[in-house]
Amino acid sequence: MRIAISTGGGDAPGLNAVIRAAVLSAVNRGWDVLGVKRGYAGLLGEDEVIPLTRESVRGIAHLGGTILRTTNRGDPFHYPARSADGAVTEIDRSGELVARAQALGIDALITIGGDGSLRIAQQLFERGLKVVGVPKTIDNDVSGTITTFGFDTAVNTALEAIDKLHTTAESHDRVLVLEVMGRHAGFIALHSGVAGTADVILIPEIPYDIDKVCEKIRARDRAGRYFSIVVAAEGAFPIGGGESSLGESLPGEERRVGGIAEKLARAIQARTGKECRSLVLGHLQRGGMPTGYDRLLATRFGGAAVRAIAAGCFGQMVALQSPHIVCIPIAEALATPKRVDPGHDVVMTARATGISFGD
Ligand code: F6P
């Protein structure tokens, strides 16, 4: 038996723990394991395919990033290619990829990725590749699993920032606006904001009204609380408006979002006269050591992915449905994108404790 592992899309703390657990579980069954470098680039002759052994994964469980590297511009169905005149186009290289996997004697592929990578995995499965998916994203926006690894680490990174912003905001009677990741889903903003007792949380699932945001800040002033903390998901947007975008994207890359914190800081300062500052937490949320929770979940996912292959569960994704790790069809997970439910108890409790969503 020979299996391969690839990591695709944005990285998330815990990827190496998945790789380690999958490699050790497979090697201990007597299987061969290959690592596909940089998404699918290794299978397209644009990077390497390397053997993964017990030695290759020694001492990596606690490390952020991925030893296999990754890319969010490696969709084999829309692979970036430069034409003779230098223009960048997209071509379908999926047939080539499947053929190369067969030539290498790969019996099954574990693909670790977010919704974009899982969509590609599903398409490759439909083209005959035996794939097992492992859901990964700091945004926690993959359905069918209670959570994804990387999310807890990102929430803790954001929480640490909120705690630090509190002390300086209070000293200066300022409004501090923190922008966290979450292009389409506001889980990081919601969880870190509630745990960090933010005053305003803005998420894409609940469009905001800037006047309502300012109303909350003024009410705090009247109550003698002269500082406020606003946590905004990068994809949050005003009622009737659109998300903030950050300039040009590279070919094959999703539109970059961001810049909301500075926009909000300026708008709040203009309306309330209060001194405002903004901070974009950015890729700090994707880096560093995975928390214990993420390391354990990632390790469980890696082990479960190998068991799924042994059981012949292809086209499936491992998922946490507490207290168990289960397998569900990738297509089922992709059918409905996971978003914050505005009626969820975390949102209700946030509102009940005085947090404003700007609505
Ligand atoms: O998909 C995860 C994510 O963290 C998004 O929230 C964010 O918009 C994106 O990655 C940023 O990715 P990058 O800048 O690495 O392309």
Side-chain angles (χ1 to χ4, degrees), residues 10 72 137-139 181-183 234 253 256-257 283 286:
N72 47 16
T137 156
I138 66 161
D139 293 348
M181 280 189 172
R183 186 194 293 265
E234 62 187 354
E253 187 189 30
R256 290 186 200 173
V257 294
H283 291 81
R286 293 240 299 261

Side-chain angles (χ1 to χ4, degrees), residues 134-353:
V134 175
K136 163 248 53 163
T137 156
I138 66 161
D139 293 348
N140 191 30
D141 59 352
V142 177
S143 288
T145 182
I146 287 175
T147 190
T148 47
F149 65 87
F151 174 61
D152 185 63
T153 308
V155 167
N156 277 290
T157 300
L159 187 57
E160 191 186 341
I162 295 169
D163 289 346
K164 289 183 174 170
L165 293 178
H166 257 107
T167 60
T168 176
E170 186 158 16
S171 307
H172 286 265
D173 296 342
R174 281 176 173 159
V175 176
L176 279 170
V177 186
L178 176 69
E179 177 174 321
V180 296
M181 280 189 172
R183 186 194 293 265
H184 306 297
F187 291 103
I188 298 177
L190 178 67
H191 287 220
S192 65
V194 173
T197 68
D199 305 297
V200 180
I201 297 174
L202 304 177
I203 56 176
E205 295 86 344
I206 307 178
Y208 65 86
D209 173 348
I210 189 68
D211 292 321
K212 295 275 172 56
V213 172
C214 294
E215 223 170 87
K216 170 71 189 174
I217 291 163
R218 288 197 195 94
R220 280 178 56 79
D221 263 16
R222 286 195 298 275
R225 306 292 281 156
Y226 302 115
F227 73 98
S228 288
I229 302 292
V230 178
V231 179
E234 62 187 354
F237 56 88
I239 295 166
E243 63 191 20
S244 304
S245 173
L246 277 183
E248 292 292 304
S249 303
L250 293 167
E253 187 189 30
E254 227 188 314
R255 202 168 88 96
R256 290 186 200 173
V257 294
I260 179 104
E262 183 55 21
K263 277 192 188 165
L264 283 165
R266 285 171 194 237
I268 296 167
Q269 184 163 308
R271 282 169 174 76
T272 63
K274 289 193 70 71
E275 210 180 350
C276 298
R277 294 285 190 275
S278 68
L279 174 74
V280 180
L281 208 48
H283 291 81
L284 272 182
Q285 296 157 97
R286 293 240 299 261
M289 277 189 177
T291 57
Y293 182 90
D294 278 341
R295 243 181 272 181
L296 175 63
L297 181 60
T299 300
R300 292 174 74 191
F301 276 176
V306 169
R307 290 197 295 277
I309 292 175
C313 299
F314 300 115
Q316 307 248 330
M317 166 188 111
V318 296
L320 175 67
Q321 292 184 3
S322 295
H324 301 294
I325 304 287
V326 299
C327 280
I328 60 166
I330 296 175
E332 187 185 309
L334 293 174
T336 342
K338 181 158 129 194
R339 300 290 180 259
V340 170
D341 169 7
H344 193 272
D345 77 87
V346 179
V347 178
M348 289 197 297
T349 298
R351 291 191 193 278
T353 56

